[in-house]
Amino acid sequence: MMRCTRNDLALELRLAIELLIAEPSPDAYNQLSTMLFAMGKAKRFVERRSMIADFRAKAATDDGSYPLFGGAHT
């Protein structure tokens, strides 16, 4: 992630937290909840893409050391 994007997101998150602390309201809570949910979803997406890339790299160099089905031996 680019540094300016990361810093902008961090600032936006901090402001949402400060707003919730200063003026607790359902709207402030919902805004923060939505931000945290989106961040978690983005993290899971990146993790899945990384796992898929690892699988493809290992499948491309298939030497039998990366079985598709762990317990199935023939």
Side-chain angles (χ1 to χ4, degrees):
M1 179 182 296
M2 296 179 69
R3 181 175 291 178
C4 61
T5 304
R6 186 191 67 205
N7 290 344
D8 290 345
L9 288 172
L11 177 61
E12 197 172 332
L13 182 60
R14 180 183 175 134
L15 292 174
I17 292 169
E18 288 178 356
L19 175 64
L20 183 61
I21 292 169
E23 300 176 26
S25 69
D27 288 336
Y29 175 80
N30 289 337
Q31 179 185 2
L32 182 58
S33 302
T34 302
M35 290 174 68
L36 293 172
F37 176 78
M39 293 171 98
K41 189 174 180 181
K43 180 179 183 250
R44 287 187 300 275
F45 176 77
V46 169
E47 289 171 347
R48 272 192 303 250
R49 288 191 62 169
S50 176
M51 287 172 42
I52 291 169
D54 288 348
F55 174 78
R56 286 183 177 160
K58 290 179 181 178
T61 60
D62 187 15
D63 59 359
S65 64
Y66 191 72
L68 292 176
F69 304 101
H73 297 293
T74 55

